[in-house]
Structures are given as C-alpha cells and as structure tokens.
Amino acid sequence: MMNTFPEHFLWGAASSGPQLEGASAVDGKAKTVWDHWYETEPDKFYQQIGPKNVSDFYFQYKEDIETMKELGFNSFRTSISWARLLPDGKNVNEKAVVFYRDVFTRLIDNGVKPIINLFHFDMPYHLYVKGGWENRDIIHEFAFYAKTAFECFGDLVEDWVTFNEPIVPIEMGYLNDKHLPAVFDIQRAFQAGLHTMLAHVYAVKAFKENAYKGKIGIILNLTPSYPSSEDPADQEAAKWADVLFNRSFLDPAVHGTYPNELKQFIEREQIELDYEEEDLVWMKQYTVDFLGVNYYQPRRVQAGDTDPAHDVLQKYFKPYQWPDAKMNPHRGWEIYEKGLYDIAIHIRDNYSNIPWYVAENGIGVEGEERFIDNCLGEVQDEYRIVFMTDHLRWLKKGIDEGSNCFGYHVWTFIDNWSWLNEYKNRYGLVRLDLETMERHKKKSASWFYKLAKRNALPENW
Ligand code: BGP
C-alpha cells in the first residue's frame, strides 16, 4: 500500500542513560563530567536543574516499559552509563548489571527490541581528569568497557551502538563552551576526535573478534549542508561543512577511511595528530553493520572570511540564515523536512545503501503546559504530530526510491533532561511533571500508537 512502511519497520523512541535514568549518585555509580560540572558551576544549567534526579527511569522503569507497549513501540534506544557499569573503569558494578538486565529483559518481554548505545556524552569524571578523549589510553578504556557490556548483556541485546553523535562532545567541548573542557582549540579538537573514532573502531573490533551475536553500528547527527547560492564559493563552503561535520565520522565508520579533503584540511591548518599505523588497518577492517541518523535541522552555509578573527573554521564556511526558513523558535533550529529525504538518497548513492534508521527526530517546545486541555488533562501537541508526519512523508519517499531505512525513532519517550536546556524544551510523547515525577501521555502518544500499529501514514488508517 502506498503509505505503508516496509515490513518489520522499527517504531519507537530514543533516549539516553544520563538524560532519563536519574539516580546519578545511587547504587555505586561514579561521577560523570556532567555531575562534576553541575557541582562546580550550577549556574550554567537552566533553572539550575542538574543531572542528579532526572526523569526517574531508574526507579520507574517497570511502569515506563509498560507505557512503551501502550504507545505501540516495537523498539527503544537508550544508553548504558559507563560510570554506572564500571565506576572505577575496571570492576563491574553488580547493581548496574542487575538494573540493566532487568530493563532489557522487560523490554524484550513487552515486544520492545532494545537498541543499546555505549556512549551518550557522559564521560566518567575519573577518565576526564586524565585527559578524556585527548589521552590515547581512552581508546583501550572504552574498548574494555564495550567488551564488558557485550559480556554482561550480549545474551539479551543484539543491536549495539558505540556512540551517539560522537562529534558533539568535540564540537561543543573543544570549539565551544557547551561541554567540558569548554575550550576553543582546533588541534585538541582533532586529536580528541581521532581518539573518539578509534575508540569506536576498537569497540567494533572487540565485538567482531569475539563473535558476539547481533549487529553493531554508530549514530551520527547528519546535517545536510546547503549552500546559500549557486556561487562556486558558497558551493565550496557547503563542501567543507559536509567534510568537517558529516564525513569526518561517516566516512571512516562506513568506508573505513577518512576523506582526502579532511587530510588536506589537517595539512593546511598544520594540525599534528598522534596515531599508530595499525589504527588505520583496523579502521579499514572494522566498519559498521548499520547506521543511525539523528536529524533535526539542516546546515545552511555561505563562503567563509579570508581572515577570520579567531574561528579558524570561518575561513571555510560561515552560517547562513535562509530568509524563507521555517523555524522552531524554542530551540532556534530550522525545520526542513526534505532534509530527511536528501539524507536517505545520499546514503543510498554514496554509502553503499547501508541499512540505516532514523535514530532521533523530534521537536522541543517550551511552555507545553499552555496546551493542556482542561477536560482531558492532556497536552494537545498537534505541532508534534505535524512535525513527525511531514518528516515521515519525506522519509517514505526516500524508502520508495530504494533507500535502505529500517526504522524511525522519535526524540523522545518521556520529557528528558537536556544538556543545554535541561527541561526548558519538552520533546516527549509523554509529559513529565517535574514536581511529582508523574507521567501523562500527550495527544501525540495515541497518534504514535496508531502510526506504529498500522505501520503506515495517517491516510491509510
Ligand atoms: C541530540 C542529542 C540528544 C538530545 C537532542 C535534543 O543532539 O543526541 O541527547 O538532547 O539532541 O537536543 P536538545 O536537548 O539540546 O534540545
């Protein structure tokens, strides 16, 4: 049928340990960089809400998993907390094993396939103080953690992800002040980025060499780069934005090599990178089985400045505000549904049509209590339904034209804590009452149920 998705299409939501679990100082979990940052600079956090007791999944997961079933989910992605599973980096925390095993077992028993990610921005603090991604030791620390997770949960989990948006801690921490270490240093950014990629490669190697069952992939935030005009200088700018922000992780993960343009950039900017020859051998050999793509917004760019004041990237491209852009004013992100189709076709044509899924797509809205219907007591989030429908239409077109997409996950299930905005913008299909930690389904929850159960867009319901 025209608006029906492929058989066994995955429907569900994405979240992460640090944004959903809470209990950040409970049952032996060690501190992450976020716990540390909040302890030292709480003013940096919106309304001073820190990571400690977010969304309460650690205590309410049994009921929450029942709710997932009521929403029609057949899959759910979250992450294991490295600092919970291996508080000192070496010894397994049995309480974490019990918790995660029960979560995964209940998901499976409720017909919800767990897709389990190993890293969602939550570096253990004891590793951060040793240099975090800048210290080569992190590669082996991460591979050890990955192997521990495969050993502890490999009988339950068959769909593994190494990283969510590995570029974000680099971009936001080494070229911005939104994640720690909050510096602007292109040399450090590239070294940390290379170590992140190698940590991924050595984790995939551990997975394949030990022949664990299932598949392993990576989740990237692919932002298609659109030039502001036909002018060759603007076109060139879009190419650089794509090389730096998409291909820097996409090419090595899928093709096993870095793009030549990235090597040119490194030479031109005189960036010195430490690595070992065999790293590149393993990178070539241990590519991913599948890709997750987080898509919220496109990147619009124009030609850069010849002599930028301090931001070296501005030589290559500058942001461009398209006057016709439809914006989500709460997040300041452009809404451009066709971007999802462009991604689908790009993966089909340039990335061997590798199996992929939409691992995050959603809309964050401030002040959602405005939309609570007094009789129903339910947030009437029509805008979220429209947002998902419009993106799904473009996704469907990409699938119809042969792109190998196997699922769609909305960000998110229950309103989550966010890195930069805490609970300012709400993304969930289910509303979280911050006072009581009670959950209330929004209108989009019953809409999502129909979508998932009929495996089709609304015209076929
Ligand atoms: C993605 C992250 C998520 C989530 C989402 C929404 O980039 O993977 O962790 O936070 O963005 O963004 P935000 O919370 O900043 O509004």
Side-chain angles (χ1 to χ4, degrees):
M1 228 187 298
M2 228 176 74
N3 289 304
T4 303
F5 283 84
E7 231 189 315
H8 310 301
F9 202 70
L10 295 187
W11 295 106
S15 186
S16 75
Q19 293 174 281
L20 186 68
E21 285 173 12
S24 85
V26 166
D27 285 348
K29 179 181 157 291
K31 265 198 288 190
T32 68
V33 272
W34 294 94
D35 299 319
H36 163 76
W37 208 2
Y38 183 69
E39 269 172 29
T40 49
E41 292 187 271
D43 290 344
K44 287 218 180 274
F45 294 71
Y46 182 74
Q47 294 181 336
Q48 298 210 345
I49 300 179
K52 194 165 180 186
N53 295 320
V54 304
S55 302
D56 209 34
F57 183 75
Y58 193 80
F59 297 107
Q60 300 199 42
Y61 68 95
K62 293 178 188 156
E63 300 78 10
D64 287 344
I65 292 171
E66 298 282 324
T67 306
M68 288 181 200
K69 192 177 175 184
E70 290 163 22
L71 265 57
F73 289 8
N74 58 15
S75 49
F76 178 65
R77 187 249 302 189
T78 186
S79 66
I80 293 173
S81 162
W82 188 352
R84 194 185 295 288
L85 185 63
L86 291 173
D88 62 359
K90 295 189 170 40
N91 296 294
V92 173
N93 173 6
E94 286 308 327
K95 289 201 168 142
V97 176
V98 169
F99 167 66
Y100 288 118
R101 286 194 68 83
D102 200 32
V103 170
F104 303 154
T105 305
R106 282 169 190 270
L107 285 168
I108 295 162
D109 290 348
N110 280 283
V112 182
K113 178 208 273 279
I115 299 180
I116 299 306
N117 173 30
L118 295 170
F119 189 83
H120 201 125
F121 310 165
D122 53 341
M123 171 76 68
Y125 181 63
H126 69 95
L127 294 173
Y128 170 76
V129 293
K130 290 191 201 143
W133 296 119
E134 289 177 75
N135 181 342
R136 187 177 165 91
D137 292 348
I138 198 79
I139 300 171
H140 301 292
E141 300 274 5
F142 184 79
F144 175 74
Y145 158 53
K147 195 158 180 273
T148 306
F150 305 147
E151 289 290 331
C152 292
F153 312 115
D155 57 327
L156 298 170
V157 176
E158 295 191 7
D159 298 78
W160 290 98
V161 173
T162 54
F163 282 84
N164 173 79
E165 302 187 352
I167 201 165
V168 167
I170 307 302
E171 181 188 356
M172 293 296 164
Y174 291 93
L175 301 174
N176 210 316
D177 61 359
K178 307 280 190 254
H179 286 211
L180 287 176
V183 293
F184 196 105
D185 188 325
I186 194 95
Q187 163 70 40
R188 289 171 68 185
F190 267 75
Q191 187 66 66
L194 176 58
H195 284 156
T196 307
M197 188 62 216
L198 293 175
H200 158 86
V201 167
Y202 281 82
V204 174
K205 180 171 178 282
F207 185 79
K208 301 275 177 188
E209 275 179 352
N210 292 286
Y212 294 104
K213 69 173 178 186
K215 302 185 284 296
I216 190 157
I218 193 166
I219 293 176
L220 302 177
N221 48 320
L222 298 184
T223 42
S225 304
Y226 300 107
S228 59
S229 82
E230 297 286 305
D231 188 313
D234 294 326
Q235 306 273 329
E236 176 82 0
K239 180 197 85 178
W240 282 114
D242 187 43
V243 166
L244 290 161
F245 284 98
N246 296 325
R247 297 183 60 195
S248 52
F249 281 91
L250 180 60
D251 283 31
V254 178
H255 292 324
T257 49
Y258 279 110
N260 284 332
E261 293 88 338
L262 197 68
K263 295 176 194 159
Q264 282 167 21
F265 179 94
I266 290 167
E267 267 172 39
R268 274 199 216 168
E269 296 306 326
Q270 301 178 341
I271 295 167
E272 302 278 336
L273 293 174
D274 286 331
Y275 60 93
E276 291 171 7
E277 279 312 312
E278 68 166 12
D279 294 341
L280 304 183
V281 175
W282 302 134
M283 184 181 286
K284 187 77 201 149
Q285 185 169 340
Y286 292 109
T287 53
V288 289
D289 300 323
F290 71 94
L291 204 59
V293 175
N294 295 350
Y295 177 67
Y296 291 90
Q297 55 168 344
R299 189 186 295 274
R300 299 200 185 270
V301 296
Q302 56 189 325
D305 293 328
T306 39
D307 193 13
H310 44 259
D311 181 350
V312 78
L313 295 184
Q314 294 235 343
K315 258 196 272 180
Y316 295 83
F317 64 87
K318 278 194 316 199
Y320 165 73
Q321 182 62 49
W322 184 33
D324 293 339
K326 177 166 65 172
M327 298 297 292
N328 168 6
H330 311 285
R331 190 61 178 82
W333 284 348
E334 182 184 340
I335 299 173
Y336 185 65
E337 302 86 349
K338 179 173 174 285
L340 207 43
Y341 167 79
D342 291 342
I343 290 171
I345 298 306
H346 185 49
I347 294 175
R348 183 195 70 186
D349 294 347
N350 301 311
Y351 291 90
S352 334
N353 207 10
I354 186 171
W356 71 284
Y357 82 113
V358 178
E360 282 181 33
N361 177 237
I363 182 166
V365 171
E366 188 174 0
E368 274 201 325
E369 52 285 353
R370 278 176 295 154
F371 302 105
I372 296 180
D373 176 292
N374 286 336
C375 299
L376 299 170
E378 179 189 82
V379 176
Q380 300 297 294
D381 54 345
E382 288 292 344
Y383 41 85
R384 181 161 292 112
I385 294 172
V386 170
F387 182 97
M388 289 189 281
T389 309
D390 293 349
H391 280 85
L392 283 165
R393 274 193 222 293
W394 279 108
L395 178 64
K396 182 66 174 51
K397 182 168 155 61
I399 295 172
D400 289 346
E401 293 176 22
S403 190
N404 200 0
C405 175
F406 61 82
Y408 175 88
H409 278 185
V410 64
W411 185 271
T412 184
F413 166 45
I414 298 170
D415 292 334
N416 271 187
W417 183 80
S418 148
W419 318 99
L420 308 180
N421 297 300
E422 288 54 63
Y423 285 99
K424 175 179 157 297
N425 303 319
R426 303 301 188 100
Y427 283 88
L429 301 176
V430 177
R431 179 169 173 80
L432 176 73
D433 182 325
L434 281 185
E435 308 263 294
T436 62
M437 290 286 150
E438 276 170 17
R439 285 87 158 108
H440 301 282
K441 288 184 192 123
K442 302 179 193 175
K443 183 171 184 184
S444 56
S446 47
W447 180 88
F448 198 90
Y449 175 81
K450 284 192 222 142
L451 172 76
K453 286 295 163 194
R454 312 228 167 131
N455 197 32
L457 283 164
E459 13 324 3
N460 284 90
W461 294 2

